[in-house]
Amino acid sequence: MPPRSPQRPEGEPALERYDVIVAGLGGMGSAAACELSRRGRRVLGLEMYAPAHDRGSSHGRSRIIRQAYYEDPAYVPLLLRAYELWEELERACGKSLLTITGGLMVGRRESGLVSGSVRSAEEYGLPYELLDAEEIRERFPAFAPTPETVALYEERAGFLDPEESVRAHLDLAAARGAELRFEEPVLRWKASGGGVRVETGRGAYEAGRLVICPGPWAPQLLGDLGLPLRVERQVMYWFEPQESLGRFPVFIWEPAGGDVFYGIPDGAYGGVKAAFHRVAGAICTPETLDREVREEEEVERIRGCLSRHIPALAGRCAHAAACMYTNTPDFHFILSPHPEHPNVSVAAGFSGHGYKFCSVVGEILADLATEGETSHPIDLFSPARFLKEV
């Protein structure tokens, strides 16, 4: 027997009903809508901006993907499945979304970045090489490591195109029957044992299940959970090299006594996208995010970092853009059924390293919405770790 419709105010007409409503159609929400529609569910997707917009966190032309995951070995099974699903998406849409370049995790041998990457690779039998400073310079001549620097090299690392990936998921979802509504922000939602009701600026909708993928709007849409989420401003930069870089992989670099930074080869602006990772950014909301990037303060800071470690890359900054990290205190995700409403699933707090998981997160969210559980290992991401016991 289908679930009863949630109670509505007396005299209000019955609303059109869906199997699942997906709130937010960025990286995670577009993947969830795509997978749910593939499973034959009647899906309504709601998004406050245009498709594949640049107002949240699923933009910037490239996002690193890698398998030897320094953050925690528990991510590796999800990554292995994510690669499979990204390749399936490429075949389904006929577009290239995943570019394999190889990847370097650079730092001292005892650094969290290098040691954590080695630990994940060893635990799951992932192929890798550990290069010393001389081997780094020989293989990747643009890099200028200090003598004590080493790097884990992972051949399967590379990058994804976030905007094109979102479009691909949305196009497939629509082709499979999903109803996608843009420029229609979710204002509030309510769940009961009989289903869910979602209100937007244009109307109200009902469904048996709700999937919430709010990105940096998580503090507003998930305020009932009291999660300790912090939305921080981060800046991406695209630099034109001053000379040939030679062979150039994606990289993450943890210099001794310095801020972690990363780079991705990107032909759009003639060079490499580079940025600091998790530097202390200004706390913001999507509405208060400062999108102006300052040449003297911000561009010069990262150019100085590049001049020390990759001198050929410290040329003209061709472009810069602000984005947002929605961080949890431990930098692990929130990916779980809602603690109080089992017919609501939540995906939030991806903390600057979540985009590569969109494909598998979409599958997990579809599992939760259709089966109430998933076979994927997601215990690490339960919001219960932050919720105070009453």
Side-chain angles (χ1 to χ4, degrees):
M1 179 180 295
R4 294 171 288 108
S5 297
Q7 291 185 346
R8 63 179 63 88
E10 185 177 352
E12 182 177 299
L15 303 175
E16 192 170 12
R17 188 172 175 84
Y18 300 86
D19 294 326
V20 186
I21 295 174
V22 179
L25 294 175
M28 306 302 170
S30 63
C34 184
E35 178 60 18
L36 284 162
S37 61
R38 187 190 70 80
R39 298 184 188 190
R41 296 322 194 260
R42 188 166 187 235
V43 177
L44 171 65
L46 298 169
E47 168 58 52
M48 70 186 303
Y49 291 114
H53 62 82
D54 65 354
R55 313 309 289 175
S57 300
S58 296
H59 64 284
R61 295 193 51 86
S62 55
R63 289 286 190 275
I64 291 176
I65 185 168
R66 50 197 164 88
Q67 294 181 352
Y69 218 63
Y70 76 89
E71 289 87 344
D72 196 296
Y75 287 90
V76 175
L78 298 178
L79 284 162
L80 297 178
R81 179 58 176 158
Y83 270 78
E84 293 175 351
L85 290 169
W86 286 122
E87 291 165 354
E88 286 183 16
L89 180 63
E90 286 184 315
R91 291 191 293 271
C93 72
K95 296 179 180 179
S96 176
L97 306 172
L98 169 62
T99 302
I100 300 299
T101 61
L104 288 176
M105 305 299 113
V106 189
R108 292 177 179 262
R109 188 180 295 266
E110 68 274 14
S111 68
L113 175 62
V114 174
S115 65
S117 298
V118 169
R119 180 170 64 122
S120 283
E122 291 285 346
E123 185 167 329
Y124 283 93
L126 303 174
Y128 74 95
E129 297 176 73
L130 195 61
L131 310 179
D132 62 23
E134 182 178 350
E135 291 170 322
I136 296 170
R137 286 191 294 268
E138 287 178 357
R139 198 175 302 188
F140 306 101
F143 290 77
T146 55
E148 69 277 7
T149 299
V150 301
L152 178 142
Y153 177 68
E154 177 187 329
E155 187 173 325
R156 284 285 290 157
F159 64 90
L160 294 155
D161 184 325
E163 288 92 340
E164 286 303 311
S165 298
V166 169
R167 290 188 186 98
H169 275 135
L170 292 175
D171 288 348
L172 279 175
R176 293 165 175 166
E179 182 178 335
L180 307 178
R181 295 173 176 258
F182 299 96
E183 309 288 348
E184 186 167 355
V186 172
L187 302 179
R188 61 190 66 88
W189 60 272
K190 183 177 181 180
S192 67
V196 297
R197 176 187 173 95
V198 176
E199 296 181 12
T200 74
R202 297 183 186 174
Y205 309 95
E206 291 180 352
R209 303 273 182 165
L210 172 63
V211 173
I212 304 177
C213 303
W217 289 269
Q220 293 97 305
L221 283 182
L222 300 176
D224 63 316
L225 287 179
L227 294 171
L229 298 171
R230 289 166 57 93
V231 179
E232 294 187 359
R233 176 183 181 270
Q234 300 289 322
V235 181
M236 305 171 285
Y237 309 84
W238 284 260
F239 279 88
E240 296 176 349
Q242 300 180 92
E243 57 189 79
S244 174
L245 297 175
R247 184 183 178 193
F248 201 88
V250 299
F251 71 87
I252 305 175
W253 199 320
E254 184 179 355
D259 292 316
V260 175
F261 68 105
Y262 66 88
I264 307 170
D266 189 334
Y269 298 102
V272 173
K273 174 184 170 181
F276 291 113
H277 180 51
R278 294 203 190 115
V279 296
I283 304 301
C284 64
T285 68
E287 293 74 30
T288 63
L289 172 66
D290 180 2
R291 296 186 178 273
E292 179 184 356
V293 180
R294 293 157 182 82
E295 176 74 26
E296 292 186 3
E297 300 172 24
E298 297 179 301
V299 176
E300 284 305 313
R301 181 184 175 198
I302 194 163
R303 182 182 282 118
C305 176
L306 295 174
S307 68
R308 291 189 294 276
H309 302 290
I310 313 174
L313 190 53
R316 186 178 81 90
C317 181
H319 183 66
C323 70
M324 289 168 283
Y325 283 7
T326 306
N327 294 327
T328 63
D330 60 10
F331 300 112
H332 296 312
F333 309 156
I334 302 292
L335 182 56
S336 170
H338 191 288
E340 298 178 5
H341 306 293
N343 55 352
V344 177
S345 303
V346 174
F350 289 95
S351 300
H353 67 112
Y355 193 87
K356 62 184 73 64
F357 295 91
C358 287
S359 60
V360 70
V361 168
E363 187 171 70
I364 290 166
L365 291 170
D367 288 345
L368 296 177
T370 58
E371 308 297 330
E373 59 184 3
T374 181
S375 61
H376 288 294
I378 62 170
D379 289 348
L380 179 63
F381 312 129
S382 170
R385 68 192 194 272
F386 299 128
L387 303 179
K388 296 179 180 178
E389 294 187 6
V390 180

